[in-house]
Amino acid sequence: MPGSTRQTGVAAALSPHAAPSQARPIPRRRTGPGRTALRGATALALTALVLTGCTSGSSESAEPGSSAPAPTPVAWSECGPNLDCATVEVPLEYGKPDGERIPLAVKRHRATDPAQRIGSLFINPGGPGVPATETIDSIDPGSDTGPYSPAVLARFDVVGMDPRGVGDSGAVRCLTDEQRAEATAADFDPAVPGGKPLPELLDDARTFTDGCLAHHSPEFLASLSTDNVARDMDQVRAAIGEEQITFYGMSYGTVVGPMYATLFPDRVRQMVIDAPVDTKLWHNNTLDFLDDVSRSNEQTLDTWFETCRTEGPQVCPLGNGDPEAAFDALITRLEAQPLQVPPVEGLTPGGTLDGAVTLEAARAGAGARELWPTLTAGLLAAQQGNGTLLHFLISKVTVAPFGGPYAILQEPHTAVRCADWPRTTDIAAHTAAATKIADRDKRLASRAGYSALNCALWPAPNTDRFTEPLTGAGAPPVLIVGGRVDNVTPYHWAEAMTETMDNSVLLTREGVGHTSYRRSGPCIDDAVDATLINGVLPAGGTVCEVPPGTTRPPGPNGQ
């Protein structure tokens, strides 16, 4: 799934100032004949499934409003400036509502203008695996760069629930500290699909999955699916006394939001989905899902190369007009003679920079236009024997679409994916996918095709995961925000979600980046705020222009 990069320290300092964005309408793709009737039939069938307490797979799955006992009203305790914390207990298995219960960590940032308070805005920052409570901690109403606008913070209590298996809600642990250190020091070969020979990859997967089972019960691991996260959200909604919630989700949060809108449409006040996942691929076709992400990664790096070449050597001196050749030569050289990077406080813990690690750094840097100058500077420095900036880029990756030892939240990330995804146990299918990706994506394909091996060996199959289309039938209109160049959730996924969801509007952001709100200028921000606060959505097909990214490295003559 979709990954996320923390932009702190040097990355924040190097971010170019955003210029005002402009919106222009484009024609919206029309719904084909008979689609409305088909959706209506699907909605009726889905309603019957929910009301009878059955979903695909097992009769134990149940809609919590009819089967789970009402949660105990939340007991908030102050835990910071304008912050409250609480624990809400929910059923481990909603098909057994009187059985084992598990605690979920919940945190809220209270509305800064209580007299104008609308209600609670639930957020999910993605991953999967990124703790929502950490996002709540990052809110600073006095900052111009926070995750939510002052207008939103004034009108809503912003509520973050760490999903089960994430953060303070029983974060999944699969590796010991020693095993994590070994994984960080692992030597990947970018010329080999998967980065290692398949037998070694399978050994790694067995170590990982055996470790998950050693730390957690199979029942808990199987329960980490998004349908249960949506049910948990509804338990939290009831515990805090809200009739309806407003929701903003990004990246993997765009699976959580549509799932909630599908299971509980009448409890949605408004919803914004930013950097959407194709939920049909997510739940039904793992290898095609990963193929799409790999292709998007490669295309995003190509966009960086094209920009560097277009801006010219005076702006982007890498390769003196041929950045691809210089990049490829650097990867080859570092793979043969890696650099040792010393630790630098606030930048990187240090380590080895070889060709494989440099490719991962390029993947991270190319995916965010505000990091493009850092990527240029890092590649130029590595040519001169200094790998600090490239190591900085990779050390800030929270979760990665294809795993990786530097992705610090990869264990919960993998566990949630494996609970949601179909269990593709045919290793030959993984090999075929890896071969296809390696043949097509020449630079960033090295580990994509085999990145679902952990799920192939997953020791806790989820036999009742929800796989019906996430249409949100009956919910209010949903705003879907898709970026034209997104290395994690490609733009055609936004188009697919707009077609899947019953009542939605697509807002397009031009340019490069994963997620758009609060990082793309007022065109996006104003549209999202108007949707969340007033329920006023932009015209379907609106496009927001953003300032183009630059590859100019920072410095006396930089930006």
Side-chain angles (χ1 to χ4, degrees):
M1 168 277 30
S4 117
T5 302
R6 294 176 176 173
Q7 292 167 25
T8 56
V10 169
L14 296 180
S15 299
H17 296 291
S21 306
Q22 300 296 324
R24 57 180 171 86
I26 60 174
R28 186 180 178 192
R29 183 166 54 192
R30 294 185 179 274
T31 302
R35 186 172 182 85
T36 300
L38 178 60
R39 281 178 169 171
T42 301
L44 288 173
L46 180 57
T47 300
L49 286 170
V50 170
L51 291 177
T52 57
C54 299
T55 60
S56 59
S58 166
S59 61
E60 288 190 353
S61 184
E63 199 270 353
S66 61
S67 62
T72 303
V74 70
W76 294 111
S77 59
E78 192 167 355
C79 55
N82 213 37
L83 296 177
D84 296 317
C85 293
T87 299
V88 176
E89 290 195 344
V90 299
L92 172 66
E93 170 56 67
Y94 280 95
K96 300 176 181 177
D98 296 322
E100 182 181 352
R101 301 180 72 79
I102 56 175
L104 302 178
V106 182
K107 186 173 288 190
R108 73 174 177 184
H109 183 277
R110 297 189 298 274
T112 58
D113 186 355
Q116 299 297 316
R117 178 185 178 276
I118 294 172
S120 293
L121 171 66
F122 278 55
I123 58 101
N124 185 289
V130 179
T133 56
E134 289 188 5
T135 303
I136 300 298
D137 283 335
S138 74
I139 294 175
D140 178 1
S143 170
D144 292 332
T145 59
Y148 312 103
S149 72
V152 165
L153 295 177
R155 305 297 299 277
F156 292 99
D157 293 340
V158 184
V159 177
M161 175 196 83
D162 286 354
R164 53 175 68 196
V166 172
D168 290 331
S169 297
V172 170
R173 180 73 182 259
C174 300
L175 300 176
T176 65
D177 290 342
E178 182 180 1
Q179 287 170 330
R180 286 176 174 174
E182 290 173 357
T184 302
D187 184 13
F188 289 95
D189 182 350
V192 176
K196 293 181 178 181
L198 180 57
E200 293 183 30
L201 293 173
L202 288 170
D203 285 344
D204 290 345
R206 291 187 188 96
T207 297
F208 187 95
T209 54
D210 288 349
C212 296
L213 202 57
H215 286 89
H216 306 280
S217 71
E219 293 79 13
F220 178 72
L221 293 173
S223 81
L224 302 179
S225 57
T226 303
D227 51 307
N228 276 338
V229 173
R231 296 181 179 102
D232 293 345
M233 276 179 49
D234 202 60
Q235 289 281 287
V236 174
R237 173 204 60 78
I240 65 179
E242 296 281 21
E243 290 295 323
Q244 293 184 316
I245 63 170
T246 305
F247 180 85
Y248 169 80
M250 54 192 284
S251 199
Y252 164 73
T254 71
V255 184
V256 176
M259 180 69 77
Y260 188 85
T262 298
L263 293 179
F264 308 102
D266 59 325
R267 294 168 195 169
V268 177
R269 177 189 164 273
Q270 299 295 155
M271 182 172 290
V272 173
I273 298 303
D274 190 356
V277 171
D278 184 334
T279 53
K280 289 182 179 178
L281 282 182
W282 175 265
H283 280 119
N284 298 294
N285 199 323
T286 300
L287 298 181
D288 281 356
F289 175 92
L290 295 170
D291 184 276
D292 269 5
V293 178
S294 179
R295 180 170 49 185
S296 186
N297 272 243
E298 193 80 8
Q299 291 171 343
T300 304
L301 181 59
D302 287 344
T303 301
W304 184 89
F305 285 134
E306 180 182 354
T307 305
C308 177
R309 190 168 50 254
T310 300
E311 290 187 308
Q314 288 188 329
V315 171
C316 182
L318 183 73
N320 195 31
D322 191 353
E324 291 96 335
F327 181 87
D328 293 342
L330 179 62
I331 298 300
T332 299
R333 192 180 91 197
L334 290 176
E335 189 62 20
Q337 297 178 316
L339 297 175
Q340 295 305 313
V341 180
V344 178
E345 186 175 356
L347 281 180
T348 172
T352 299
L353 183 77
D354 61 8
V357 173
T358 301
L359 287 169
E360 293 301 304
R363 190 198 308 273
R369 66 187 178 93
E370 56 267 53
L371 295 179
W372 279 11
T374 308
L375 177 57
T376 307
L379 293 170
L380 292 169
Q383 286 182 326
Q384 302 302 313
N386 185 338
T388 299
L389 277 179
L390 292 181
H391 226 271
F392 160 78
L393 284 176
I394 196 170
S395 69
K396 295 304 176 186
V397 174
T398 303
V399 292
F402 308 123
Y406 294 93
I408 59 176
L409 299 178
Q410 204 66 30
E411 289 160 75
H413 175 77
T414 298
V416 173
R417 296 200 310 180
C418 295
D420 263 8
W421 287 0
R423 196 162 179 255
T424 307
T425 57
D426 180 5
I427 303 304
H430 293 258
T431 297
T435 302
K436 173 187 174 184
I437 290 172
D439 288 343
R440 184 192 63 218
D441 304 330
K442 299 301 183 182
R443 295 185 175 91
L444 297 182
S446 57
R447 283 189 284 134
Y450 282 118
S451 60
L453 280 184
N454 287 334
C455 295
L457 304 184
W458 196 241
N462 179 12
T463 59
D464 64 351
R465 61 191 186 88
F466 191 95
T467 59
E468 298 294 329
L470 302 186
T471 65
V478 173
L479 178 60
I480 296 172
V481 186
R484 189 77 73 182
V485 182
D486 186 323
N487 71 322
V488 180
T489 55
Y491 180 70
H492 67 269
W493 286 2
E495 295 176 310
M497 180 171 282
T498 306
E499 289 296 313
T500 299
M501 296 204 74
D502 249 24
N503 195 1
S504 60
V505 169
L506 175 60
L507 174 65
T508 299
R509 183 218 69 227
E510 293 290 1
V512 174
H514 180 52
T515 76
S516 299
Y517 181 57
R518 301 293 289 164
R519 57 188 304 178
S520 304
C523 179
I524 293 290
D525 291 358
D526 291 350
V528 171
D529 286 356
T531 301
L532 294 175
I533 296 170
N534 301 313
V536 177
L537 281 68
T542 298
V543 174
C544 287
E545 305 285 355
V546 299
T550 179
T551 59
R552 182 189 297 274
N557 298 317
Q559 65 247 66

